[in-house]
Amino acid sequence: MGEILALVEARLLTALGEPDARASVTFLGADRIEVLRFVDGDVVRYATLGMSAQPMTDPTASVVDPSKGPRAELLLSVRAGLADTDKVLRPLAVLAASPQVEGVIVAPGASLDVGGPLWPGAPFGSVLVAEPGRLVGDLELDGPVPRGDGDAAAATDPVRFLPLLPMTPNEAAWKRVHGAQELQERWLARGTDLRDPLRASVSLD
């Protein structure tokens, strides 16, 4: 686990530079989750570190291989200085811990609800998981990862770095009806600045 997280952190630093801050959160029944903050001009990026330590598994599966399954970390990019976005650290850690705590598989197209504003005064209470690869490329894990039951090692999935796109309640409701692709096309057509921490909901008429 430690070796995987060291590789994940190295990939984040290669893609985003040195973090200017980091915090850690521990949840009952889950490994520690760290959140790293990177500043890139007028954009601040938050990246989780720890979610990928364990593969995500289907909670309904009758047989679970503890060495196989998708691995991921979460990325959130917002414009700096417009809101107290550093308070997003705990909600991000909660989302990153959800595969371990709740058996959730986080994948592109999914909606994740944080149960409240992403940060104080935020018009967003949920996020859309976007396709990875544009900001931080997938991390292929060379060689097998030992199984947790002592059996022979097994190949493991790459670590994917999943961008999170904040959604207003209206957008989240619209996405449930029309789907993730339709919402993203609506954002694109309206020229929505998805990094604006104070933006209003896109027109859904």
Side-chain angles (χ1 to χ4, degrees):
M1 181 180 74
E3 181 180 350
I4 290 176
L5 293 185
L7 293 172
V8 170
E9 182 170 0
R11 172 58 59 89
L12 286 170
L13 269 58
T14 298
L16 304 178
E18 287 292 330
D20 75 332
R22 61 198 305 158
S24 62
V25 182
T26 303
F27 302 97
L28 184 63
D31 297 322
R32 182 182 66 180
I33 301 292
E34 287 190 277
V35 180
L36 282 58
R37 186 181 71 184
F38 302 85
V39 177
D40 180 12
D42 67 342
V43 174
V44 58
R45 308 188 195 279
Y46 302 94
T48 64
L49 178 62
M51 180 178 175
S52 60
Q54 304 292 340
M56 294 179 279
T57 56
D58 184 350
T60 64
S62 57
V63 178
V64 175
D65 185 339
S67 66
K68 301 199 72 174
R71 297 174 186 260
E73 298 289 354
L74 306 177
L75 299 169
L76 175 69
S77 300
V78 294
R79 300 211 175 275
L82 301 178
D84 189 11
T85 56
D86 281 351
K87 294 295 196 304
V88 79
L89 298 179
R90 184 169 182 83
L92 270 184
V94 169
L95 296 180
S98 61
Q100 293 185 56
V101 176
E102 303 174 21
V104 174
I105 294 182
V106 179
S111 300
L112 303 176
D113 195 319
V114 300
L118 282 174
W119 51 81
F124 320 106
S126 61
V127 294
L128 173 65
V129 183
E131 291 288 340
R134 296 184 64 181
L135 188 60
V136 183
D138 291 354
L139 172 63
E140 298 289 344
L141 298 175
D142 296 330
V145 172
R147 291 168 57 99
D149 55 10
D151 287 350
T156 188
D157 292 13
V159 177
R160 308 178 80 193
F161 299 86
L162 302 174
L164 302 180
L165 307 177
M167 294 188 293
T168 67
N170 285 344
E171 291 169 341
W174 199 85
K175 182 263 179 185
R176 285 194 292 271
V177 175
H178 298 279
Q181 183 174 349
E182 290 290 329
L183 177 58
Q184 292 185 82
E185 289 178 357
R186 182 61 61 94
W187 281 335
L188 183 61
R190 298 294 191 274
T192 307
D193 182 2
L194 297 174
R195 295 175 179 174
D196 182 354
L198 302 175
R199 73 173 181 86
S201 180
V202 69
S203 173
L204 300 171
D205 297 335

